[in-house]
Amino acid sequence: MAALAETPRGVAEGDLLWTPPAAYCALSGVERFRHWVNARNGLDLEDYEALRQWSVDELEQFWGACWDYFDIRSETPYLRVLDRRTMPGARWFEGARLNYAEHLLRREADHPETVVFHHSSELRAPATMRWDELGGQVRILAEQMRKLGVGPGDRVASYMPNVPETAIAMLATTAIGAIWAAASPEFGARAVIDRFAQIKPKLLFAVDGYRFAGQEFPREGEVEQILGSLDSLQHTVWLTYLHPDRPPPAGTIPWGKLLDQPEVPRSGFRYERVGYDHPLWILFSSGTTGLPKAVVHSHVGVLLEHCKVGAFHLGLRPGSRPFFYSTTGWMMWNILLACLLQDAAPVLYDGSPIAPDSGVLWRIAEQARVTHLGISPGFVQVMQKDGLRPRLHYQLPDLEMILLVGSPSTPETFSWLHEAVKPDLWVTSQSGGTEIASAFVGASPTLPVHAGEIQARSLGMDVHVWDEQGQELRGQVGELVVTKPFPSMPLRFWNDEGDKRYRESYFSTWPGVWRHGDFIRINERGGCYILGRSDSMLNRYGVCIGTAEVYRSVERMEEILDSLIVCCELAGGRFFMPMFVKLRPGAVLDEDLRNRIARRLRADCSPRHVPDQMYRVDDIPYTLTGKKMEVPVRKILVGWPLEKAASRDAMLNPSAIDWFVWFRAQNRVMLSS
């Protein structure tokens, strides 16, 4: 391990860090598509921005062009691309009948013996899977599920880790028209029940346990609780993963037995082709407060969106090897498997990204010859403060892109990746969500990269910045809104009568306009900055402050491993804005460090950014998808009971929230008076 590395200094927001070579641009999917669109429509779209503007001005032409360009195969022709530009309720490609899994697996016929998955875990050595192995197991499982009585519209739930068996289960489920829903095994039983009880699954795929950071986590007890709470279940398929030598529980179907069947040839298998409004899967919101939203997506909408994002925004090509660190309960796992649409070979990993050390993911990237790596800015911070410089320890000749996911990224993170990993990397970020199974703003391989900046608004997403009165803002911070429909918007929320919760979540502020709940700024060149959730924005005496600005400044300091800041509105129009910091071992939150934090925030941000008080904590609470729990902490501090403010089973580190409950009790008078 290298000596402790300094955080890069001297880089400013918006500094030019990378310009794509002309040859790289010319070979990219988005550039090929631009030329194809120009030739097909007699247009002269000069660059990405011209293509983007056309894609939102001419929605029907753009998405119809995507249908043809990606050779979407439907059993019946569609009547129209879009029935009306209305949200919610827009209908895309009515009349078409297709299947998402069929499109993911159709490359098998072209080269069955080519590797399609690289996979490893803390329990399994690195291995690969070929296209014919994947397709063959999907067909066997799909037919066995049909024999168990699972069919179109039935819900199939998964409590499985990021291993090939889970991918096979998802593909088999969607191949027969059943509806997939997943929770990763680090979820506690209560969090799983909160999700699956809403949708009443017919079949459950369950695992006996997993290993993370060298520690074993048996899950038999959690599965028993889940089974006892879901009276809709008729079958449970059991994967012995943690202890392969142990027999499965009575009444369950062993995974191996279910798959130990005669081969089902491609020509003899029938995909269930479904209409535009047939559910593909149900993705769940984080559920840190209240019941998680059960977001229903369609085969048609997700297929079009995932073709677009993979080819045009991630820059995938046949033979690409993408590796996005994710659990099965996060939307990025679905995006990873969607890379199959571009004939790419995804890399799956189940385990810790930082144990036994912060080189774990780089060793996997080296071994699998990864081309596209998706990691969180928080992981990059860990590497920086560990002094890791991957370019000195790992051979990464194929790595061309790093995608920063999960939270806003700082200019220093971009710059450090260029310095410590590879100088000619395409380092980029994106922002979207579970609700759209994709991104509103993201990457383009034809655009330059500026420090801390998301490169552009995504194609087909009519993203704008509005103020509180619904007026367009330019170069200023405002609400991220989408003013025209897009195919991957949810069909609905499950069990949401009259779409009440769906409308309240996204359309209650401006009817007919999607308000996502993020604060965003778009500069004159179209670069985007996400400044955090609008419900966690720090409103300091009428001045709005993005938490991302604070974290960027403070977490560059060597003593600080992590931080969290909230603003509590108190009686009499008063505000209390505390900051909580997790320190490096040996560091002390003394008067000197407090003063240096305050000086840095004044210099980097403004005097308004300086907290009223600073407190040391052992850990910062995160959701299972890696987001800081600012809103639940704020609710606890102003008096909400823990059970209403946060769900422990939806947390990555449940014990971290206890300190804030204790803090509220100790400071009740200050926080109430």
Side-chain angles (χ1 to χ4, degrees):
M1 187 67 68
L4 185 66
E6 266 302 297
T7 302
R9 308 294 182 187
V11 62
E13 180 180 274
D15 283 355
L16 179 64
L17 297 179
W18 179 81
T19 300
Y24 192 72
C25 289
L27 292 173
S28 69
V30 68
E31 189 69 355
R32 291 171 182 267
F33 179 70
R34 183 178 68 84
H35 287 296
W36 182 86
V37 164
N38 281 340
R40 167 178 153 129
N41 296 283
L43 299 173
D44 186 24
L45 305 174
E46 295 182 351
D47 53 19
Y48 177 89
E49 178 54 26
L51 177 65
R52 187 202 66 80
Q53 192 62 56
W54 174 80
S55 76
V56 295
D57 289 343
E58 307 295 340
L59 280 182
E60 295 82 0
Q61 286 189 49
F62 169 71
W63 289 107
C66 287
W67 181 284
D68 294 340
Y69 186 79
F70 292 113
D71 188 24
I72 304 300
R73 298 175 187 178
S74 172
E75 193 172 85
T76 54
Y78 60 81
L79 301 176
R80 63 186 69 83
V81 173
L82 175 62
D83 70 328
R84 62 193 187 282
R85 294 189 177 188
T86 302
M87 292 189 290
R91 299 178 179 180
W92 292 92
F93 297 96
E94 286 181 273
R97 297 191 67 83
L98 54 76
N99 185 279
Y100 180 76
E102 182 177 9
H103 284 77
L104 261 68
L105 291 170
R106 71 181 184 181
R107 309 291 181 181
E108 178 195 352
D110 300 330
H111 39 78
E113 296 185 359
T114 300
V115 169
V116 68
F117 279 148
H118 301 260
H119 55 93
S120 62
S121 77
E122 292 191 22
L123 289 165
R124 294 175 175 175
T128 59
M129 177 177 282
R130 302 192 313 260
W131 270 109
D132 57 353
E133 293 174 315
L134 175 63
Q137 291 187 48
V138 168
R139 289 189 291 274
I140 289 172
L141 180 57
E143 292 293 13
Q144 292 303 306
M145 291 172 69
R146 280 171 167 155
K147 290 178 181 178
L148 292 172
V150 179
D154 289 333
R155 277 76 66 206
V156 173
S158 167
Y159 190 50
M160 300 261 281
N162 187 10
V163 292
E165 290 91 337
T166 313
I168 291 163
M170 187 276 279
L171 290 165
T173 297
T174 56
I176 62 175
I179 305 169
W180 175 259
S184 56
E186 66 265 23
F187 281 51
R190 184 69 259 164
V192 177
I193 294 165
D194 284 347
R195 287 158 171 76
F196 293 165
Q198 297 183 61
I199 65 173
K200 299 187 181 303
K202 193 172 193 176
L203 183 147
L204 173 70
F205 289 98
V207 72
D208 65 336
Y210 65 98
R211 183 181 294 163
F212 187 88
Q215 183 178 351
E216 293 189 352
F217 293 88
R219 279 297 181 254
E220 291 95 336
E222 283 75 10
V223 174
E224 185 177 355
Q225 292 181 57
I226 294 165
L227 296 181
S229 300
L230 300 177
D231 56 11
S232 61
L233 283 175
Q234 297 180 14
H235 308 285
T236 299
V237 178
W238 189 262
L239 177 66
T240 51
Y241 174 59
L242 183 59
H243 298 294
D245 54 334
R246 292 185 185 176
T252 64
I253 306 170
W255 173 274
K257 181 179 180 181
L258 204 60
L259 272 291
D260 187 17
Q261 306 292 333
E263 180 183 347
V264 179
R266 288 195 303 272
S267 59
F269 182 73
R270 174 180 57 84
Y271 288 94
E272 191 69 40
R273 292 168 180 161
V274 297
Y276 77 96
D277 59 350
H278 188 90
L280 165 67
W281 54 44
I282 297 170
L283 302 181
F284 295 97
S285 64
S286 59
T288 51
T289 59
L291 204 61
K293 296 189 287 283
V295 184
V296 183
H297 288 289
S298 71
H299 282 249
V300 171
V302 169
L303 175 59
L304 264 294
E305 178 60 31
H306 283 181
C307 283
K308 180 206 77 175
V309 76
F312 301 158
H313 295 294
L314 298 180
L316 297 172
R317 302 180 298 275
S320 294
R321 291 173 297 280
F323 175 29
F324 306 151
Y325 180 75
S326 176
T327 66
T328 55
W330 187 22
M331 176 267 294
M332 284 306 298
W333 182 80
N334 301 70
I335 293 285
L336 179 61
L337 294 190
C339 297
L340 296 174
L341 291 165
Q342 306 308 322
D343 202 6
V347 179
L348 311 180
Y349 170 63
D350 177 52
S352 170
I354 57 173
D357 55 64
S358 53
V360 172
L361 301 188
W362 299 107
R363 287 192 287 274
I364 296 171
E366 179 182 56
Q367 192 274 331
R369 297 178 59 197
V370 165
T371 57
H372 297 68
L373 178 62
I375 53 178
S376 73
F379 171 62
V380 176
Q381 286 185 349
V382 171
M383 289 190 297
Q384 286 179 256
K385 294 185 177 183
D386 281 353
L388 180 66
R389 302 187 72 80
R391 65 180 174 82
L392 301 179
H393 302 279
Y394 307 101
Q395 299 298 313
L396 304 166
D398 300 287
L399 185 64
E400 60 187 70
M401 182 229 206
I402 288 185
L403 180 67
L404 295 163
V405 296
S407 61
S409 302
T410 67
E412 292 77 18
T413 296
F414 279 56
S415 179
W416 184 86
L417 287 166
H418 278 208
E419 294 176 10
V421 180
K422 205 173 183 181
D424 59 345
L425 272 180
W426 171 26
V427 178
T428 186
S429 185
Q430 51 79 54
S431 183
T434 297
E435 305 92 329
I436 66 168
S438 189
F440 287 123
V441 294
S444 172
T446 63
L447 296 175
V449 171
H450 297 267
E453 189 171 299
I454 300 174
Q455 287 175 285
R457 288 172 279 186
S458 299
L459 298 177
M461 298 288 192
D462 197 23
V463 172
H464 296 269
V465 185
W466 281 11
D467 65 14
E468 293 179 353
Q469 287 72 46
Q471 299 299 309
E472 186 93 12
L473 295 173
R474 298 185 182 278
Q476 300 178 57
V477 176
E479 292 274 1
L480 189 161
V481 300
V482 185
T483 59
K484 295 172 187 171
F486 47 94
S488 68
M489 61 191 303
L491 288 171
R492 58 185 180 277
F493 291 169
W494 197 267
N495 281 343
D496 182 22
E497 187 174 352
D499 290 334
K500 183 175 184 293
R501 195 180 183 198
Y502 181 21
R503 290 177 181 274
E504 287 176 350
S505 296
Y506 305 107
F507 302 103
S508 59
T509 305
W510 296 291
V513 174
W514 179 291
R515 173 188 171 272
H516 192 58
D518 280 345
F519 270 117
I520 183 174
R521 173 168 54 88
I522 301 177
N523 62 26
E524 68 283 351
R525 61 173 166 261
C528 305
Y529 295 86
I530 298 294
L531 291 99
R533 298 291 296 172
S534 54
D535 56 4
S536 64
M537 183 62 71
L538 308 173
N539 190 332
R540 185 84 155 158
Y541 300 103
V543 177
C544 288
I545 299 169
T547 55
E549 300 173 271
V550 175
Y551 301 144
R552 177 201 170 193
S553 179
V554 169
E555 291 171 16
R556 288 167 52 195
M557 301 179 71
E558 295 296 344
E559 296 92 340
I560 298 177
L561 295 175
D562 206 351
S563 62
L564 184 143
I565 189 167
V566 297
C567 190
C568 303
E569 298 180 6
L570 306 180
R574 296 180 302 109
F575 298 89
F576 176 59
M577 193 168 84
M579 173 183 283
F580 307 95
V581 294
K582 177 181 178 180
L583 300 182
R584 178 179 291 280
V588 178
L589 185 61
D590 54 16
E591 202 60 31
D592 175 66
L593 181 55
R594 286 188 170 91
N595 289 335
R596 286 191 288 119
I597 291 172
R599 286 197 300 270
R600 181 179 287 266
L601 285 171
R602 286 192 185 95
D604 291 351
C605 304
S606 81
R608 297 281 190 181
H609 291 69
V610 178
D612 295 316
Q613 294 290 341
M614 303 175 202
Y615 302 93
R616 177 174 183 166
V617 295
D618 291 335
D619 209 358
I620 300 295
Y622 279 83
T623 69
L624 284 167
T625 56
K627 292 179 170 48
K628 295 184 184 187
M629 295 178 62
E630 296 158 331
V631 174
V633 165
R634 187 184 69 203
K635 288 180 175 179
I636 288 170
L637 296 188
V638 299
W640 285 47
L642 174 59
E643 60 272 15
K644 289 187 177 181
S647 168
R648 287 183 179 277
D649 285 345
M651 295 176 60
L652 186 64
N653 46 352
S655 62
I657 204 72
D658 295 332
W659 187 92
F660 295 91
V661 176
W662 171 86
F663 180 84
R664 161 68 190 181
Q666 298 299 307
N667 296 276
R668 189 180 305 275
V669 174
M670 176 186 70
L671 292 166
S672 301
S673 60

